[in-house]
Amino acid sequence: PLVAILHLIVYLGFIIINIELLEIIVDGVTGSHRAFAPYLGSYYDLLINGFEILAALVLIACVVFFTRRNIIQIKRFISQDLNGWPRSDANAILIAEIVLMSLFLLMNAADPTGNFIISSQLKPLLSGFSAAQLNTIEHTAWWLHILGIYAFMNYLPHSKHLHIILAFPNAYYASLLPKGEIHNMVSVQNEVLYAMQPELAPSNAAAPEKFGARDVMDLSWKNLMDAYSCTECGRCSA
C-alpha cells in the first residue's frame, strides 16, 4: 500500500504540476513574470502552494524509489533480468524527476516576490546572494526546468515510463476471464488424440491451427500494449 500511494503521488505530480508549465512557457514567450497571478488573485498563492507540496512529495517518493532500487537491494531489483538498459532507464527517470522538482522549488525560492510554503523554507540558503545573483539563479533554474521537461517528453516514448500513459487503456482492455482459463482448441486436441491412436486419424487430417507466439508477428495488439505498458519492476520473473 505504501508503494502504491507513493506511485499515486508521482503520477498526480506528473499530471498536475505540468499545469504550472503553462505559466512557465507563457512567461518565457512573453517576457512576463507570473503571468497568471493578476487573473487568479488570492487563488494564485493557493495554487502554487499546492504545486509545491506535490513537488516536495514527488521528490521524496522518487528518493524512496531510488533507494529501494539501488541501496536497499530488494531481491527483484537486483535480478540479472534487469541488468543493462532496464536498470539504467529506471534510474535515469528517477534522477530526472528529482532534478526537475528541485529546479521548480529552487526557481520559486530565488524569486524575491514569491513566498510559498515549501520554497520559502529554502530562502535562508539563498540569503547570501545579491538581487542580481538571485535573478540569475531563478532564470537558470527556469531554463534548466523547461529544457529538462522537453527532453523528458522526447525520452518518455523510448522508456519504461511510457506506462504512465498506457497503464489506463491497458487495464481497461485487460481480460476479465479467470487467470489460467484456456479455450479448448479442437484441432490441437485431435492432433494429440491421433498421436495416441493413429488408427483414428483420417487420411486428410488437417494440421492443427497455430497457437502461441513464435515471433513478434504472432503477437496481438494487446500483447504489444502489455509490452509497452511494462514497468520493468521484476515481479513477473521473481
Side-chain angles (χ1 to χ4, degrees), residues 216-232:
V216 70
M217 300 307 295
D218 296 327
L219 298 175
S220 68
W221 66 267
K222 182 60 170 64
N223 295 143
L224 296 174
M225 181 184 281
D226 288 342
Y228 284 120
S229 305
C230 177
T231 63
E232 295 176 1

Side-chain angles (χ1 to χ4, degrees), residues 138-210:
E138 182 185 7
H139 280 66
T140 302
W142 183 94
W143 272 107
L144 292 176
H145 183 81
I146 196 71
L147 291 175
I149 289 288
Y150 284 138
F152 193 77
M153 286 169 61
N154 283 275
Y155 178 74
L156 187 144
H158 304 281
S159 74
K160 80 182 191 72
H161 210 52
L162 186 62
H163 74 261
I164 204 168
I165 296 172
L166 292 180
F168 287 105
N170 189 57
Y172 179 82
Y173 285 109
S175 172
L176 300 180
L177 295 174
K179 299 301 180 186
E181 180 175 322
I182 299 175
H183 293 289
N184 184 44
M185 297 176 69
V186 176
S187 62
V188 176
Q189 182 182 8
N190 286 337
E191 183 76 6
V192 175
L193 176 63
Y194 300 154
M196 297 176 66
Q197 295 179 278
E199 68 276 9
L200 298 179
S203 58
N204 60 343
E209 61 186 281
K210 192 174 183 180

Side-chain angles (χ1 to χ4, degrees), residues 80-136:
Q80 292 185 353
D81 296 331
L82 297 181
N83 283 350
W85 170 252
R87 182 169 288 110
S88 301
D89 182 35
N91 286 331
I93 291 166
L94 292 173
I95 291 170
E97 291 274 11
I98 291 169
V99 170
L100 288 173
M101 295 303 101
S102 299
L103 287 170
F104 172 64
L105 296 174
L106 178 62
M107 180 180 69
N108 286 346
D111 181 3
T113 65
N115 186 29
F116 307 113
I117 192 166
I118 302 296
S119 59
S120 61
Q121 306 303 313
L122 303 176
K123 285 184 179 293
L125 301 176
L126 304 175
S127 59
F129 294 95
S130 66
Q133 289 172 325
L134 288 174
N135 185 64
T136 300

